[in-house]
Amino acid sequence: MSTIKLQDIIAYQIYPRSFQDSNGDGIGDIPGITSRLDYLHDLGINLLWVTPMYLSPGRDNGYDISDYRKIDPVFGTMKDFETLVEQASKLGIGIMMDMVLNHTSSQHQWFQQALTSRTNPYHNYYIWKTAPKGKLPNNWQSKFGGSVWEYVPKLDEYYLHLYGQEMPDLNWENPKVRADLFDAMRFWAKKGIAGFRLDVINNLSKDQRFPNDTFKSPKDDGRNYYTDGPRIHEFLRAINHEVLEPYHLISVGELSSTTIANTNLYTNPARKELSMGFTFHHMKVDYPNGKKWALGVNDLPTLKKVISTWQIGTSKGGGKLALFWTNHDQPRALARFLNDEEYRVQSAKALAILEFGLHGVPFIYQGEEIAMKDAYFTSINRYNDAESRNAYAILLDDGISQADALEILRQKSRDNSRLPMQWDDTPSHGFSSHTPWLRPEHVDTFSVKSDLENPESTLNFYRKLIRLRKTNNTLKMGQFELLSPEDKDVFAYLRLAETEDLLVIANFTAQVQKRHLKNGDYHTLISNYTNTSFTDNLLTMQPYEALILSRLK
Ligand code: GLC
Ligand code: CA
């Protein structure tokens, strides 16, 4: 697996809690994943990112790790995990573990030790500050709302938590912390995994002055002092040298609020840091003034500009992007960018075409291949996610009405993509024989089963698209060029290579759109409609129609 070239990877993300339950407790687990490997293999994927399954109190569904070397019993046993790695590798599928190096759970024994006294050797594993009575060490805001500082009366000190208050940040300045984390990574590397997805990896290095931020915009909330921080590249090179390189591991960094320049430094192979990075600027086009918890719209010219700037910037800098439209932290992409009602299937295929047409490594998020929809929860009690629940409380505090706050959650909550996978048409869609941990409020009629039976389904389309991507070198390597940046209705770009040019084009509206193409002899490589109307270089596109055209040189 480790010999696979980056440009040949087709990755799939599993949120294990919601993928497949095997023992009837309503929570997805490792044997459940193993039982679906043939399905994933038939789909054509070769790398499986599984979000954290380590021992955890589950305050952030596994991103709060209490023991780096144990599998949480809710997901199964270490043997189950080893079986998964072994069975997957027989099918040519590598397992990518999700590693959280920025923080632990407050239940982790390191933190429990750290709490006992200022002189305990583990105290310095975390980040502590004092402040005069009634004051906080600084004004940084937690990503989950509120201050990043939590007071511990016994020590008369505050600890830093960029995320939930049960998720204290590790002190990467301490070499012992680094050494222990590298050991934990080696523990998994030795089990034959293919690589790591590295959680919020560009937040590891904090500016040691811990200065106040300006709050000039919602983005000036402290992140200026820990995003791509002073020692981050040194730390990543150490991770690479100590773990990634010796075990030939693929790595993808979650790069929160980063820049193109830094992304190139992280992912240019010559730098020996990471293989590729997830970046999020295209996920923020619908954040009004940078604010997540507010209703927003995706303006197409802005979206195109963001995508194009990153495509061109990373190509020039020799960097590598991991491509995605959604993940376990994002709402589903359908309603967000296109349509999840009348044109649900066309929209799903159009988004797939746009993603697989880009330069980078495509990732599919579970359920995307059957065009799953958002949760559409109508009551706060339905929500499970800590971030969403905090946001709801803060919105109400700010004087927003319950109805408006629910509408914002409906659009932005991470629970939208965390509903159980829809396998068939039995109760709970074949996910579990028990009530699922996160219960849908609507029942859909489509599933993997119905999609498998229908040649025109989203699922069968993904299979075709994956085959195309694996065999077409222009899709893998061609140079990116955006067309008509100001066009509000159509997203079109080129991939240019020596022998062929590809045109990737999608109608973002429910109306027919006609566009003239540059002269040439085109043929359709893939399309989400069966009959494309295309005469004299005039392309007539149906609602949400998308296609890839090839023009040989
Ligand atoms: C990443 C994860 C997210 C988690 C956060 C804190 O953003 O993807 O789910 O809440 O890190 O670990
Ligand atoms: Ca289970």
Side-chain angles (χ1 to χ4, degrees):
M1 178 62 210
S2 49
T3 53
I4 188 168
K5 287 206 191 92
L6 278 185
Q7 69 249 33
D8 294 328
I9 295 177
I10 309 284
Y12 187 96
Q13 182 194 350
I14 286 184
Y15 196 66
R17 200 167 276 276
S18 302
F19 192 62
Q20 176 71 68
D21 177 20
S22 73
N23 62 350
D25 63 357
I27 303 174
D29 47 48
I30 300 172
I33 301 175
T34 307
S35 73
R36 295 294 183 182
L37 283 172
D38 285 335
Y39 164 75
L40 295 167
H41 178 248
D42 289 347
L43 182 59
I45 63 115
N46 47 24
L47 184 66
L48 207 55
W49 157 26
V50 190
T51 65
M53 301 190 290
Y54 316 91
L55 196 67
S56 161
R59 302 311 287 257
D60 190 22
N61 289 353
Y63 284 95
D64 48 330
I65 300 175
S66 54
D67 189 330
Y68 283 102
R69 292 162 200 249
K70 289 212 171 89
I71 291 287
D72 197 301
V74 100
F75 294 123
T77 62
M78 190 61 84
K79 185 89 203 68
D80 292 335
F81 178 76
E82 288 160 359
T83 306
L84 170 65
V85 174
E86 191 186 304
Q87 297 297 322
S89 108
K90 281 190 192 149
L91 296 171
I93 298 175
I95 300 293
M96 179 178 253
M97 288 288 267
D98 201 329
M99 184 45 87
V100 188
L101 302 174
N102 181 67
H103 45 265
T104 67
S105 158
S106 52
Q107 298 300 311
H108 195 289
Q109 54 157 337
W110 297 342
F111 193 71
Q112 289 299 311
Q113 291 282 322
L115 282 175
T116 59
S117 83
R118 289 191 185 191
T119 51
N120 184 288
Y122 286 100
H123 188 261
N124 192 30
Y125 269 48
Y126 296 87
I127 299 168
W128 300 92
K129 292 282 171 253
T130 52
K133 232 185 162 35
K135 291 220 158 134
L136 293 166
N138 70 20
N139 64 3
W140 298 1
Q141 289 291 298
S142 153
K143 306 252 186 197
F144 287 3
S147 167
V148 296
W149 299 104
E150 184 68 19
Y151 186 62
V152 179
K154 183 179 161 198
L155 300 175
D156 189 24
E157 277 182 313
Y158 294 82
Y159 68 83
L160 178 93
H161 62 91
L162 295 184
Y163 296 85
Q165 98 190 27
E166 304 92 347
M167 298 151 80
D169 278 52
L170 285 160
N171 177 15
W172 267 74
E173 300 294 318
N174 180 348
K176 287 209 183 98
V177 168
R178 303 200 292 270
D180 276 355
L181 291 173
F182 298 157
D183 267 349
M185 291 177 83
R186 286 187 204 105
F187 173 85
W188 296 101
K190 286 179 191 147
K191 295 199 180 289
I193 60 168
F196 286 110
R197 180 260 188 190
L198 297 170
D199 190 61
V200 297
I201 197 67
N202 62 329
N203 289 346
L204 298 186
S205 168
K206 280 84 180 169
D207 185 325
Q208 294 300 298
R209 297 166 300 164
F210 292 89
N212 279 330
D213 211 334
T214 61
F215 284 84
K216 277 195 199 133
S217 89
K219 290 184 204 151
D220 302 316
D221 61 355
R223 78 184 80 164
N224 293 320
Y225 298 103
Y226 58 76
T227 303
D228 306 324
R231 297 181 69 187
I232 189 62
H233 294 289
E234 173 197 336
F235 293 158
L236 279 169
R237 291 169 92 132
I239 295 172
N240 189 300
H241 179 76
E242 296 280 338
V243 188
L244 303 177
E245 188 168 37
Y247 292 91
H248 310 288
L249 299 176
I250 299 164
S251 55
V252 53
E254 185 195 22
L255 305 175
S256 127
S257 304
T258 190
T259 60
I260 292 178
N262 270 299
T263 301
N264 287 331
L265 294 176
Y266 293 129
T267 62
N268 184 318
R271 302 256 321 160
K272 296 197 182 236
E273 295 188 17
L274 300 171
S275 319
M276 56 185 147
F278 288 113
T279 65
F280 296 89
H281 294 66
H282 67 301
M283 293 282 112
K284 297 182 179 173
V285 176
D286 57 5
Y287 287 15
N289 299 317
K291 210 170 161 196
K292 173 168 179 174
W293 297 103
L295 294 179
V297 282
N298 266 300
D299 171 62
L300 183 57
T302 312
L303 178 70
K304 291 199 272 194
K305 189 166 172 225
V306 171
I307 291 180
S308 146
T309 312
W310 281 82
Q311 285 281 304
I312 294 167
T314 49
S315 292
K316 275 194 187 141
K320 191 68 133 190
L321 291 175
L323 307 168
F324 70 103
W325 282 120
T326 187
N327 64 29
H328 66 292
D329 292 329
Q330 301 288 337
R332 294 228 171 240
L334 289 179
R336 189 174 191 186
F337 296 100
L338 299 178
N339 179 293
D340 70 349
E341 292 168 349
E342 191 185 349
Y343 297 108
R344 181 181 63 87
V345 171
Q346 290 87 341
S347 296
K349 294 176 183 175
L351 287 170
I353 284 183
L354 285 170
E355 175 183 336
F356 278 66
L358 293 173
H359 186 72
V361 177
F363 278 70
I364 302 164
Y365 177 67
Q366 67 181 45
E368 210 174 7
E369 76 277 25
I370 54 165
M372 274 180 66
K373 297 166 62 135
D374 283 335
Y376 290 98
F377 288 155
T378 55
S379 142
I380 186 64
N381 300 327
R382 288 285 187 163
Y383 285 93
N384 166 277
D385 171 36
E387 186 203 27
S388 308
R389 296 180 69 99
N390 287 351
Y392 182 76
I394 292 171
L395 287 168
L396 295 193
D397 271 356
D398 288 350
I400 311 259
S401 73
Q402 288 193 0
D404 288 351
L406 278 175
E407 185 51 29
I408 295 173
L409 259 62
R410 145 55 226 122
Q411 192 184 75
K412 298 290 175 68
S413 169
R414 313 197 285 183
D415 278 343
N416 280 313
S417 59
R418 294 180 179 184
L419 280 181
M421 184 70 182
Q422 296 173 185
W423 294 104
D424 60 32
D425 47 15
T426 60
S428 296
H429 281 303
F431 163 71
S432 175
S433 54
H434 190 275
T435 311
W437 70 277
L438 188 63
R439 257 187 323 132
E441 235 180 282
H442 57 79
V443 180
D444 294 323
T445 51
F446 61 90
S447 64
V448 167
K449 182 165 174 276
S450 64
D451 261 25
L452 282 172
E453 287 159 0
N454 171 8
E456 302 303 326
S457 67
T458 313
L459 180 57
N460 281 313
F461 184 84
Y462 261 94
R463 289 175 161 179
K464 216 167 117 187
L465 184 62
I466 290 170
R467 276 201 300 275
L468 174 66
R469 172 88 191 196
K470 281 183 173 167
T471 49
N472 184 297
N473 275 326
T474 315
L475 279 178
K476 292 183 198 168
M477 313 295 276
Q479 199 190 323
F480 174 93
E481 188 185 312
L482 182 66
L483 295 176
S484 316
E486 303 304 327
D487 191 327
K488 288 191 174 61
D489 301 319
V490 171
F491 193 165
Y493 60 83
L494 298 172
R495 297 293 303 283
L496 308 166
E498 261 172 36
T499 50
E500 135 190 83
D501 288 345
L502 299 181
L503 170 67
V504 181
I505 183 162
N507 178 359
F508 265 57
T509 72
Q511 287 81 44
V512 170
Q513 301 287 344
K514 296 180 188 228
R515 294 292 183 276
H516 283 282
L517 305 184
K518 215 167 116 184
N519 283 344
D521 212 359
Y522 293 92
H523 72 275
T524 309
L525 292 186
I526 194 161
S527 161
N528 63 352
Y529 275 75
T530 32
N531 292 311
T532 300
S533 160
F534 182 37
T535 37
D536 296 333
N537 291 333
L538 179 69
L539 180 63
T540 305
M541 300 173 81
Q542 299 306 309
Y544 302 102
E545 179 161 356
L547 52 161
I548 304 183
L549 297 174
S550 157
R551 195 174 59 152
L552 292 176
K553 288 185 176 165

